[in-house]
Amino acid sequence: MMSGRTSFKFSLFLACAASLAASDADTLLLRNVDVYPMIGPRLTAASILVQDGKIALIGAKIAAPKGVRIVDGQGLRAYPGLIDSGTELGLAEIADLRVTVDSGELGAFMPQLRALTAVNPDSEHFRVVRANGITSVVTFPSTENGERNGGERQIVAGQAALIHAAGWTWEEMAVNGSAALLLIFPSLPVNQPGFAEAKRTYDREIQQIDEFFDQARRYERAKTAGGSNFKIDLKLEAMLPVLDSRLPVAISAEREPAISDAIEFAGRQKIRMILLAPRELGKAAAKLKERNIPVVLGRTLDLPLHEDDPYDSAFTLPAQAWRAGLKIAFGTFDNEFVRDLPYNAATAVAYGLPYEEALKAVTINAAEIWGAGGQIGSLEKGKWADMMLTDGDPFETRTQIKALFIKGREVDLKNRQTQLYEKYLNRP
């Protein structure tokens, strides 16, 4: 419980911050905060000048430009906003209510689909995750709609988008509208009846993927050659940035054999690869390091993959990846758990991942993996002012997010949970 003095100070802080909404809401001078910039040492009792939504200056003493509103954050810490590298935010609201889920389409190969254009800025999930310091997420297309409607399993599901967690429109929310092409690599069950047939299906699907990429290369050559009979194909046109390595391919693979096959596929097709949600690494870790492939880890707070695995196999996987020299980020891969992103990283710290590396994994590492290292992920001059003000370590469950800024604007931290809490707290 806050003391009277602290409560008054924080109320004054909120009043000052709220006044920003009147005019120049994305311009302010934040004073007397401990700054954790992620690209250098901590700054004590420092100031951050934000102009037009971007960080203009960080330092010990900054003179306030004329007309700039000043916010006193004494006793608080400033961190970059957190980034979840695997969600369906904005695409899926209620999993069991199909009309609220717009995360997938029919068709095995749909590279032209862009998740960004389907994002619903008014999703209630955004409010919940912002309350825990998350300012940006990668939202992925998925296979849900296709499979529910009786369609075939999607393999190339479309393009993921890196977006801010607040905005009036999806255009306003976009950080990187085409962050990666999602390829859901086939999985091969082991030690189960019917393995021989499953292996044939697995090999056939990999062959289909190779054939699709080869088809895209033939299309590329035909387009370069030109000719009056050349016709644009939207599917194959969407593959061109992949073939010349402008657009990375995010490959979802859980098990070590599939990961090794995915790495081999990426080398064969000469594409940039990002590994999504592995549940084990094994010898594949060395191959990932050799080819400089970043890894987006799934939920640390999860059960083991196999019934005979150690109980802490999910807890220790981030530390294993870090020791192998891999650049890592975290994704929760389910809207229900996005708010727990900092605690997944915290669990990894408890099981061997250095604290600084865990913090990088949900800030600057994630930004760099998704091609936005020059825009977000750290508190630096020229970057968007995506930052959270806390009263402690963001990895601690008792730490409170006192204010959150996205592109320099303070966002409302109220959500359905806080409203219910206040409702029943004040029950007569």
Side-chain angles (χ1 to χ4, degrees):
M1 182 177 294
M2 292 188 295
S3 67
R5 181 178 178 182
T6 303
S7 177
F8 172 77
K9 182 185 297 182
F10 182 58
S11 298
L12 178 62
F13 167 76
L14 288 181
C16 292
S19 69
L20 295 174
S23 62
D24 297 329
D26 56 2
T27 298
L28 72 148
L29 178 62
L30 178 63
R31 283 182 169 170
N32 299 321
V33 292
D34 290 346
V35 180
Y36 294 76
M38 298 312 306
I39 42 79
R42 174 175 64 112
L43 303 176
T44 304
S47 298
I48 302 175
L49 176 63
V50 177
Q51 293 180 319
D52 299 324
K54 293 188 176 181
I55 298 173
L57 199 60
I58 301 178
K61 293 182 180 180
I62 299 176
K66 184 177 180 180
V68 170
R69 300 184 184 276
I70 301 174
V71 176
D72 186 359
Q74 186 174 0
L76 300 178
R77 303 180 182 186
Y79 291 91
L82 305 183
I83 304 171
D84 191 315
S85 290
T87 77
E88 291 181 3
L89 283 184
L91 304 180
E93 198 71 10
I94 303 172
D96 292 331
L97 193 60
R98 197 177 70 181
V99 295
T100 71
V101 179
D102 193 15
S103 58
E105 298 289 346
L106 295 175
F109 295 93
M110 305 294 285
Q112 76 279 18
L113 299 181
R114 301 176 70 228
L116 178 65
T117 61
V119 168
N120 173 20
D122 293 323
S123 170
E124 284 294 324
H125 291 294
F126 286 122
R127 292 180 176 272
V128 176
V129 304
R130 291 197 303 252
N132 223 15
I134 297 164
T135 56
S136 299
V137 301
V138 178
T139 189
F140 281 96
S142 75
T143 62
E144 283 293 322
N145 284 358
E147 290 181 348
R148 287 183 180 181
N149 293 333
E152 57 187 324
R153 186 185 79 82
Q154 281 192 295
I155 298 174
V156 175
Q159 300 175 35
L162 173 61
I163 60 175
H164 278 123
W168 286 102
T169 65
W170 56 261
E171 293 95 337
E172 182 182 341
M173 297 171 73
V175 179
N176 185 352
S178 293
L181 184 74
L182 176 60
L183 194 163
I184 305 169
F185 211 73
S187 59
L188 179 63
V190 296
N191 300 326
Q192 294 184 13
F195 175 78
E197 178 59 31
K199 182 65 166 63
R200 283 191 290 270
T201 301
Y202 177 80
D203 291 339
R204 184 169 59 249
E205 288 191 346
I206 292 180
Q207 183 179 2
Q208 285 179 323
I209 298 172
D210 272 315
E211 288 176 352
F212 181 73
F213 274 73
D214 292 342
Q215 182 185 5
R217 293 190 187 281
R218 291 192 294 271
Y219 175 86
E220 181 183 40
R221 290 193 294 270
K223 183 176 182 180
T224 301
S228 58
N229 295 326
F230 180 79
K231 293 182 180 180
I232 296 294
D233 184 308
L234 293 180
K235 284 188 179 183
L236 300 178
E237 191 74 19
M239 291 295 294
L240 299 184
V242 173
L243 301 181
D244 63 14
S245 295
R246 284 179 289 143
L247 182 66
V249 179
I251 301 181
S252 174
E254 285 190 343
R255 297 173 52 83
E256 180 185 344
I259 295 169
S260 294
D261 287 346
I263 296 170
E264 182 180 342
F265 164 79
R268 185 167 62 247
Q269 291 294 343
K270 298 180 174 58
I271 58 175
R272 281 201 295 140
M273 173 181 167
I274 299 169
L275 176 62
L276 295 184
R279 301 290 301 278
E280 60 185 17
L281 290 175
K283 295 179 180 179
K287 300 176 185 177
L288 292 166
K289 172 60 178 176
E290 179 183 353
R291 304 198 183 187
N292 198 30
I293 297 173
V295 177
V296 176
L297 299 162
R299 293 194 301 274
T300 307
L301 297 169
D302 206 349
L303 295 174
L305 177 60
H306 308 292
E307 63 180 13
D308 56 350
D309 282 346
Y311 79 93
D312 60 355
S313 57
F315 307 160
T316 59
L317 186 61
Q320 294 174 25
W322 173 75
R323 284 194 294 269
L326 305 179
K327 175 175 279 191
I328 62 172
F330 286 99
T332 49
F333 294 98
D334 192 316
N335 290 351
E336 178 184 357
F337 299 105
V338 177
R339 61 185 175 183
D340 292 334
L341 174 68
Y343 312 133
N344 279 273
T347 302
V349 173
Y351 284 82
L353 182 66
Y355 175 86
E356 293 77 10
E357 296 301 322
L359 199 54
K360 287 180 181 179
V362 290
T363 54
I364 187 62
N365 279 9
E368 291 175 349
I369 287 172
W370 301 113
Q375 299 173 271
I376 60 175
S378 62
L379 300 181
E380 294 182 73
K381 181 178 179 180
K383 290 190 176 183
W384 288 117
D386 293 356
M387 54 187 179
M388 57 177 170
L389 302 183
T390 75
D391 61 3
D393 184 344
F395 287 174
E396 295 286 346
T397 56
R398 58 185 179 182
T399 293
Q400 298 294 310
I401 308 298
K402 296 300 186 181
L404 191 75
F405 297 86
I406 295 179
K407 297 172 71 171
R409 290 178 175 266
E410 187 185 17
V411 296
D412 189 0
L413 297 180
K414 291 182 180 179
N415 54 67
R416 186 169 297 173
Q417 283 80 359
T418 61
Q419 290 169 346
L420 288 172
Y421 171 77
E422 292 173 0
K423 174 182 177 179
Y424 290 103
L425 181 68
N426 298 315
R427 180 181 177 182

